[in-house]
Amino acid sequence: MSLDQSFVGRSWPATEPYLVGREKIREFARAIGATDAEYLDPEAARAAGYADVVAPPTFPIVFTMAASRQIISDPELGLDYTRVVHGDQRFAYTRPVVAGDALVCVNSVEEITSRGGHEFITTRTEVSTEGGDPVVTVWSKLVQRGVEGAA
Amino acid sequence: MSELASESVSTVEVLQPHTFRVTRADLVRYAGASGDFNPIHWSERTATAVGLPGVIAHGMFTMALVGRAVTAWAGAPDAVVEFGVRFARPVPVPDTDEGTEVVVTGTVKEITAEGHTRLSLTATCNGDKVLSLAQALIRKR
C-alpha cells in the first residue's frame, strides 16, 4: 500500500506542552552513559551557564517521537508500523533543551517518496517554547520496507 | 581508519575513536528512558519474525553514542548546532554479557563561512559502517 501523498505539506496543530523534567534528563543521560556533570547536577549546569541540567543533543526525540504519532498513527496515511525502520534523523538547534522547559511541537510532512518497493516519509517538527521562541527543528525519515523485505 | 592514526593529522582535527560497549541491558534502559518500546529492540522472537538477524539497538541509541563523542570533542552540549545521521545498517546486540561494540570516529570536514566546524562522523559495528552521511556542525569557540 502506498502512503497518501496528500499528507505532503500538511501541518498539524501544536501539541500540548511537554514539561522537561530534571529527573527525565538525568534518566536519559544515564541511559546513554553520559556522565558529564551538566547533565546531572543543577549546580554544575548553572556554573556552565545553563538554567538547570541540560539535555544531551538527541534528547528531543523523547517528545518529538511521541508528538509525531499525530501523523504516523493516522490511518489515512496508510503506514504499516510493523514494517517501519528509521531512515534518517537530523536536529538543528537554536539552543539546548534544559530542565524546566515547557515545549510544544508543530509537525508537518515534508516529503513522501517511493523507491525500490520501499516508501519514505520525512516529518519535520518545530519545537518551541509556549511563547513561540524556537528551540530545535527535528527531521525524521521513516522507511516502510517493501513486503518482499529487501534491505 | 588507519589514516586517522597518521602523523600528518593533528589531534585537534580528528575525533579520536571512542568505543562503546552495548548490551541488552543498555537497550532495555534506553527503551525506558526514551519511550521507544518497539519490540525489535528487546524481543528476539519479534526481531527475527520481521527478518532481522536478532534484537538490534535503537538507531537513536547509536546516534546518542555518537552524540557523546561529538559533545566530548566540542566541549559542551550547547556547542552542537546541527547533528544528523542516516541509519545504514542495524546494530545486532547478542544476548551475552559482552553484547557488542560500536566504534565512533570523526574528522574535520570543513570550517564554514561562519567559522563553525563541520565534523564527518563514522560509527562501525563488527567492522561494518552502521551510519552514513553522519555529520555534526560545531559552533565556533
Side-chain angles (χ1 to χ4, degrees):
Chain A
M1 183 166 58
S2 292
L3 302 182
D4 184 346
Q5 283 284 342
S6 75
F7 274 63
V8 177
R10 271 179 65 184
S11 292
W12 279 256
T15 55
E16 288 295 306
Y18 176 88
L19 305 181
V20 179
R22 183 186 286 167
E23 298 302 343
K24 191 66 191 177
I25 288 181
R26 287 171 164 162
E27 179 190 12
F28 188 87
R30 290 191 181 108
I32 66 168
T35 55
D36 298 290
E38 64 262 35
Y39 301 127
L40 305 170
D41 176 7
E43 290 307 316
R46 287 184 196 112
Y50 305 105
D52 203 313
V53 293
V54 61
T58 61
F59 179 84
I61 201 71
V62 170
F63 51 89
T64 61
M65 182 181 275
S68 70
R69 292 195 185 111
Q70 260 183 335
I71 304 172
I72 62 175
S73 300
D74 186 336
E76 297 294 316
L77 175 63
L79 191 73
D80 175 2
Y81 206 69
T82 65
R83 290 192 282 132
V84 166
V85 295
H86 202 163
D88 294 45
Q89 183 66 38
R90 188 155 70 92
F91 301 89
Y93 307 91
T94 303
R95 67 160 174 87
V97 171
V98 294
D101 277 335
L103 301 174
V104 298
C105 297
V106 174
N107 289 311
S108 58
V109 173
E110 282 207 336
E111 188 181 61
I112 293 177
T113 59
S114 178
R115 184 163 44 83
H118 306 305
E119 305 265 343
F120 303 83
I121 177 168
T122 302
T123 61
R124 172 188 178 127
T125 306
E126 296 290 352
V127 179
S128 65
T129 65
E130 289 176 284
D133 293 330
V135 175
V136 57
T137 305
V138 182
W139 292 264
S140 297
K141 181 182 271 189
L142 301 180
V143 184
Q144 177 179 281
R145 296 190 297 170
V147 177
E148 293 304 311
Chain B
M1 263 176 291
S2 56
E3 66 269 24
L4 288 186
S6 162
E7 299 280 331
S8 64
V9 180
S10 84
T11 52
V12 295
E13 290 176 318
V14 299
L15 203 129
Q16 296 299 325
H18 284 55
T19 300
F20 299 99
R21 182 160 297 285
V22 180
T23 67
R24 292 281 178 95
D26 295 318
L27 303 189
V28 172
R29 195 175 293 115
Y30 184 78
S34 69
D36 183 347
F37 295 102
N38 188 330
I40 63 173
H41 305 304
W42 51 267
S43 165
E44 196 80 15
R45 179 171 54 86
T46 304
T48 53
V50 299
L52 293 165
V55 164
I56 63 168
H58 304 73
M60 289 307 301
F61 183 66
T62 303
M63 188 175 185
L65 298 179
V66 177
R68 279 179 56 193
V70 168
T71 51
W73 187 89
D78 64 352
V80 183
V81 180
E82 284 180 29
F83 183 26
V85 306
R86 171 163 296 171
F87 302 104
R89 228 185 275 263
V91 173
V93 181
D95 187 11
T96 60
D97 290 343
E98 297 77 26
T100 191
E101 280 182 354
V102 173
V103 180
V104 177
T105 62
T107 55
V108 171
K109 198 176 167 194
E110 64 164 343
I111 307 297
T112 67
E114 299 94 339
H116 298 336
T117 302
R118 190 176 304 281
L119 294 175
S120 176
L121 303 158
T122 66
T124 57
C125 179
N126 299 320
D128 291 325
K129 284 191 178 180
V130 295
L131 301 179
S132 59
L133 303 174
Q135 291 193 353
L137 191 63
I138 307 301
R139 195 183 310 281
K140 185 183 183 181
R141 279 175 280 188

